[in-house]
Amino acid sequence: MSGSADREYTLGDYRAPLGDIGFILNHVSGIADFDFWDREFSGEILQHAAKFVEGVIAPKEPVLDTQSPRMEDGRVKVSSLLKEIAVQYAEDGWFGLNVPEEFGGQDQPDILSNAVLEMICGASLNAGMLTSCPPAALKLLVGEGSEEQKARYVPGLVSGEYASTIVLSEAQAGSDLRLIRTTAKPDGNGDWTLEGGKVFCSNADHDITPNILHCILARTEGATEGTRGLSLFLCPAVLPDGTRNNIQVTRFEDKMGIHATPTCVVNFDAAWAEMVGEPGEGLRRMFTMMNAMRLDVAVQGIGLCQIALQRGSAYAAERLQGRSLGKEANGDTVTINHHGDIKRMLQTMEAFALGGRTMVYRTAVELEKSQTSPLAAIMLPVCKVFVSDAANEAAHMAIQIHGGYGFCKEYQVEQIARDARITRIFEGANGLHATNVAVSLQKPAGQAAAEAFTADIEAALEAYVAETGRNALQQPLDDWLRASEAVENMSDPGMVAYDYMRLTGLTAFAAAWARIDAAAANAAYPARIKKIAAFVRDYMTPETEFLANRICGYG
């Protein structure tokens, strides 16, 4: 794999950072500790993925952004370019990458799918939205479905015959699933019929695949209130006899970003469905899919950080403006990447991309060990929030680097900001995740997660050889521990929950960079890694002290 630092970028193009991905995978993520990990084979897979992303997906994205879905005869039609991507993706077998061989898949670890999705989202979040849903549904079915359900749906999801959705939100029940009103009634034949409406349903209808499998939370008649009364259902758009199910898209949203993908309002009018598991088990069984999709949002954030960095770096290397203030200054006009403020933004974006990648990949490895890992329980929301926030910050930095041109569409950085904004909202709004993490400290499961988090940071401390590095990571850990104690004792930590989440994310980010720094000799350009590690240590992570002081002062 070639290192990203030796790649020559053209303005606007996406190039897969295979060197960085391979470095983090093989030397930092922990996946190499597993006997099943084949470094050479995984490298070949990623090379093929990069070729597909760079050659097929990336060139279509500028046009995809201008081609919104349309309604024809009550059905959603999408861009022919999006269809081409989806069809080739399925034909090349990518949907089966991490599916067990017994179901026609390649049985590769989930982390490899995360790396492929990162590349796709860097090139096109539109394509990433389309390709990330079936793997999450496959994870749900393989882990939670009955043998009959696996046989009925898994082959179609692997082949691309089925697309899929996760259908949770309702007009009155966005993040608060306790308020779900969609109901399920027995149909007299052992299955169920669904009545109700859902909103913000990504890819709920389109003309790409012959069928779409909706994974839905609904309340059975007489079920208790709250989330304990929810059950999980599988509801195909086309029934086994070939007729269409009673599902109707009443509208799709005109969105700020991800213009090519349909986000729909859907009504279920006595729609046939089958239950996964038993009544009342819906939320517990859905968590397998929800965990996968929340990590996917963090993966999307890495891709967005990467493309913001690439476009910002390429422009800054060519744009002549002003004189250098450095020691090498001779009065000549220089490219803007010589200016300290631009260097700060470029180094921040690079730190976000590498550090966020490490946080997400290590969480994927933790889930490989156990889907109920206490460390994963806290790192899933932390990754989702921290990396999606980083993607939004990186997008705005890329615009700023471009100056007035960044506000125009020609240089393709304003789109990064438009697309990135949704990552802070869907799969659980960031503020909700922050509040849940803060409140969880007062519960046994949250305490177990906090203890696992502390142990992980302490393990990262051991990776540092230099005393300066250990001290730089010890400070965020100390800040996090005293803030955690303050939050645990608050009757209502809501006002400081986001600060606490930011502090937790920065502490995990500092630990990620401790591990990256320790493994720098294995990178294609060790000096580059050392330079960014020092920037993170000296410039970025001192923010933890300020955050801890604010949290403790408020408490």
Side-chain angles (χ1 to χ4, degrees), residues 191-515:
D191 292 313
W192 303 79
T193 58
L194 301 179
E195 295 277 354
K198 299 285 185 175
V199 299
F200 300 131
C201 305
S202 299
N203 307 310
D205 190 38
H206 51 70
D207 55 342
I208 297 175
T209 58
N211 208 339
I212 300 174
L213 180 64
H214 302 285
C215 305
I216 303 175
L217 284 180
R219 196 177 304 280
T220 55
E221 287 186 317
T224 59
E225 295 297 318
T227 57
R228 293 184 179 181
L230 297 176
S231 300
L232 175 58
F233 297 89
L234 304 174
C235 182
V238 178
L239 298 171
D241 64 5
T243 60
R244 292 200 65 81
N245 209 344
N246 296 321
I247 305 170
Q248 182 182 11
V249 173
T250 58
R251 58 172 285 179
F252 54 85
E253 307 297 347
D254 186 7
K255 306 187 298 293
M256 175 180 177
I258 50 173
H259 287 159
T261 59
T263 302
C264 305
V265 176
V266 186
N267 283 338
F268 298 88
D269 184 12
W272 179 88
E274 53 184 314
M275 185 181 290
V276 178
E278 299 296 326
E281 296 180 348
L283 194 59
R284 177 178 67 80
R285 291 184 179 270
M286 180 67 90
F287 262 117
T288 302
M289 188 175 190
M290 291 169 68
N291 283 347
M293 298 198 74
R294 284 171 179 168
L295 198 63
D296 282 352
V297 176
V299 171
Q300 292 170 6
I302 303 170
L304 291 163
C305 285
Q306 187 69 42
I307 190 58
L309 169 65
Q310 288 183 8
R311 290 180 181 156
S313 298
Y315 182 81
E318 293 189 4
R319 174 64 167 170
L320 287 164
Q321 197 85 171
R323 298 182 179 92
S324 173
L325 299 179
K327 294 179 180 180
E328 76 283 2
N330 59 11
D332 292 340
T333 301
V334 296
T335 53
I336 61 174
N337 58 2
H338 287 80
H339 300 316
D341 187 51
I342 303 296
K343 290 179 181 179
R344 171 188 62 83
M345 290 188 280
L346 292 174
Q347 289 184 38
T348 299
M349 289 190 284
E350 194 161 14
F352 280 153
L354 280 160
R357 184 179 291 120
T358 298
M359 290 168 63
V360 171
Y361 286 12
R362 286 187 63 83
T363 301
V365 170
E366 192 64 27
L367 288 169
E368 197 76 49
K369 299 174 185 176
S370 171
Q371 286 287 322
T372 58
S373 157
L375 179 59
I378 188 170
M379 283 304 298
L380 278 165
V382 167
C383 285
K384 195 274 184 186
V385 174
F386 185 84
V387 183
S388 63
D389 282 352
N392 280 267
E393 188 174 345
H396 289 292
M397 286 180 172
I399 292 171
Q400 198 69 22
I401 288 169
H402 283 73
Y405 293 114
F407 199 64
C408 303
K409 291 189 175 182
E410 178 183 359
Y411 285 82
Q412 294 180 262
V413 287
E414 57 83 34
Q415 184 192 346
I416 304 174
R418 288 190 286 104
D419 287 351
R421 191 59 184 84
I422 188 59
T423 63
R424 301 184 70 201
I425 299 172
F426 63 10
E427 302 309 328
N430 284 6
L432 176 67
H433 285 300
T435 301
N436 286 343
V437 167
V439 171
S440 74
L441 291 175
Q442 301 171 1
K443 302 175 182 178
Q447 283 290 318
E451 290 170 5
F453 183 81
T454 303
D456 188 61
I457 306 303
E458 290 174 340
L461 270 166
E462 297 177 5
Y464 260 134
V465 176
E467 185 177 353
T468 55
R470 289 199 303 275
N471 292 340
L473 180 54
Q474 185 67 57
Q475 184 63 52
L477 177 58
D478 291 344
D479 292 333
W480 182 78
L481 287 170
R482 65 187 176 93
S484 297
E485 183 177 1
V487 169
E488 183 181 353
N489 291 317
M490 291 180 186
S491 58
D492 179 6
M495 282 290 291
V496 298
Y498 214 98
D499 288 323
Y500 181 70
M501 175 59 87
R502 173 73 177 177
L503 172 57
T504 308
L506 274 172
T507 305
F509 181 71
W513 267 101
R515 292 181 163 103

Side-chain angles (χ1 to χ4, degrees), residues 75-188:
R75 296 293 311 284
V76 177
K77 308 291 184 181
V78 300
S79 164
S80 61
L81 296 180
L82 193 62
K83 291 171 67 174
E84 289 174 12
I85 291 170
V87 169
Q88 185 169 342
Y89 188 85
E91 288 178 349
D92 289 351
W94 291 109
F95 283 126
L97 184 61
N98 60 337
V99 176
E101 290 181 353
E102 63 185 286
F103 299 111
Q106 300 173 48
D107 204 20
Q108 295 301 305
D110 291 342
I111 196 171
L112 206 53
S113 291
N114 296 144
V116 173
L117 180 62
E118 176 199 323
M119 290 188 273
I120 294 171
C121 293
S124 168
L125 191 57
N126 284 298
M129 289 290 296
L130 190 71
T131 57
S132 63
C133 286
L138 283 162
K139 179 69 66 177
L140 168 69
L141 280 162
V142 171
E144 303 293 339
S146 67
E147 293 305 313
E148 293 80 7
Q149 289 165 347
K150 293 174 186 177
R152 186 155 38 247
Y153 299 116
V154 170
L157 286 164
V158 170
S159 69
E161 176 189 354
Y162 277 91
S164 68
T165 68
I166 177 171
V167 187
L168 305 179
S169 296
E170 299 180 6
Q172 79 293 339
S175 298
D176 192 350
L177 300 180
R178 298 173 304 165
L179 304 179
I180 283 178
R181 295 175 184 164
T182 297
T183 59
K185 302 177 182 179
D187 69 351

